[in-house]
Every structure is written in structure tokens, then in C-alpha cells.
Amino acid sequence: MTKFRLVVVAAGIFWAVSAAYIPFPTAQAAEGAVGAGDTAAPSPADQISPAPQKPVGAVVPKKNKKKKASARRKASRKASAEAIGTAPGKRLSSAEVMALLKTSRDLSGKNLSGINLVGVNLSKCNLKGVDLSNADLERADLGESDLERANLAGANLKMANLRLSGMIGANLENAILDGAIWQDGRICAKGSLGMCREAVSPDSAK
């Protein structure tokens, strides 16, 4: 009996030891499932889309270049015109006046004495207080311009257009007005000096 008991005890110990080393399928399956989950595709939140890259050596369209060049030219002309107008009392040349007229119709208070503006379009200009004494304005268009308090003493206004111009307080002393179109549309007769003399209508002049 003693030997039998020893055999039974030994068998029990052997079984217990063997059972400790037997792998459990359930645990392995669970670990396998976890491992499979680790290799699953990343979620959309984890995916980072690459930043768009600008093409190397991109060519600027010609239209944009032309627009930029045109804007620079306009800015340059405007700056030049403003620089011309900032000098108080400075006598302007014909070229400077033409540059100003490209960006503005305001010549008020400017010194244009003795200037040559033959045939120049000065219609609808602001010429308040402008000095045009002894200026050559033959055939110039001054229609609808504001010549209030303008100095036109000794100016040559032969055949100039003064139709609908404002001339309140303007100085026309010794201004030559032969053939000029007066404010009301009449044509000044030959020999008009300082004022429109013997004004006649265009129909009568024929």
C-alpha cells in the first residue's frame, strides 16, 4: 500500500507540473487578435496628406507682367506730376504741363506765364488763379474751363475756344482775342484787345 500511495502522489505531481506548461488556446487567440489589430490600416485621423508643392520654375503669365509694368508706369507718371505741382511759384514748362494733364485737369494757381500752349486741349480744366500772362494760347481749347481770377494779361488768345468758360474776375488786359470763340458762342472780331469787340455770330461771319 505504501508503494501504491507513492506512485499516486508522483503521478499527481507530474500531472500538475505538465499542466503548468500547456499553452491555452484562448489566450493565444486573444493575443493573435490583438496582434492583427496592430497591423490594421490606420484611421483617417492618423493619415496626413502631403502638403501641395509649388512647381519649380513656374512661369509668370505675360498678362500679369504687362499689368504690373503698366501699373508701375502709371505710378511713375503720377509721382512725377505730384513732384511738379509741389514747387510753389515755379514757372512750369510746356512739357511739365502736358505731364500734369495726363493725370489731372487741375492747374489752379500754377505759374504758366509766357508758356507756349498753342492748340492744346485745356477744356474743363480748373484754372482758378492761374498765371497765363503773355502765354501763347492760339487755337487752344479752353471750353468749359474755370478761369476765375486767372491772369490772362497780354496772352495770345487768337481763335481760342472760350465757350462756356467761367471768367469771373479774370484779367484780360491787352489779351489778343481776334477770332476767339467767346463764352456765349460768338466770334470776336479782328482787333479785339482786352475784350471781345464787335462780337458777331458764326452765321453773320459767313
Side-chain angles (χ1 to χ4, degrees):
M1 289 297 291
T2 305
K3 291 182 179 181
F4 178 76
R5 289 180 180 176
L6 291 173
V7 171
V8 172
V9 171
I13 293 171
F14 177 79
W15 181 84
V17 171
S18 299
Y21 288 97
I22 295 174
F24 292 92
T26 305
Q28 290 180 351
E31 290 177 0
V34 172
D38 293 340
T39 59
S43 63
D46 296 332
Q47 294 180 355
I48 301 174
S49 58
Q53 296 181 352
K54 296 181 180 179
V56 179
V59 179
V60 180
K62 290 184 179 180
K63 289 184 179 179
N64 291 345
K65 287 183 178 180
K66 289 181 179 179
K67 286 182 180 179
K68 289 180 180 179
S70 177
R72 284 196 295 267
R73 285 195 297 269
K74 287 181 180 179
S76 178
R77 284 198 298 264
K78 186 176 180 181
S80 299
E82 288 176 352
I84 291 170
T86 53
K90 177 182 179 293
R91 182 177 176 276
L92 303 186
S93 66
S94 300
E96 289 172 329
V97 171
M98 298 307 293
L100 281 170
L101 290 174
K102 288 180 181 179
T103 58
S104 172
R105 305 299 287 177
D106 187 0
L107 297 172
S108 58
K110 297 292 187 293
N111 182 359
L112 308 179
S113 58
I115 196 170
N116 183 354
L117 294 174
V118 174
V120 174
N121 182 6
L122 295 169
S123 61
K124 298 182 180 180
C125 278
N126 180 4
L127 299 169
K128 283 184 178 180
V130 70
D131 185 359
L132 283 164
S133 58
N134 301 308
D136 193 350
L137 295 163
E138 187 171 342
R139 300 189 310 279
D141 186 0
L142 294 159
E144 300 182 58
S145 290
D146 190 351
L147 288 160
E148 183 179 343
R149 302 188 312 279
N151 183 8
L152 292 161
N156 178 14
L157 290 163
K158 286 182 179 180
M159 295 177 285
N161 178 23
L162 295 166
R163 187 178 177 85
L164 300 178
S165 61
M167 301 180 71
I168 298 173
N171 180 10
L172 289 167
E173 184 179 359
N174 294 322
I176 303 171
L177 295 162
D178 295 4
I181 302 174
W182 197 239
Q183 296 167 285
D184 55 6
R186 294 176 295 168
I187 297 176
C188 300
K190 186 177 181 179
S192 295
L193 189 65
M195 63 182 297
C196 188
R197 297 183 182 277
E198 302 176 8
V200 294
S201 65
D203 293 336
S204 301
K206 292 179 182 178

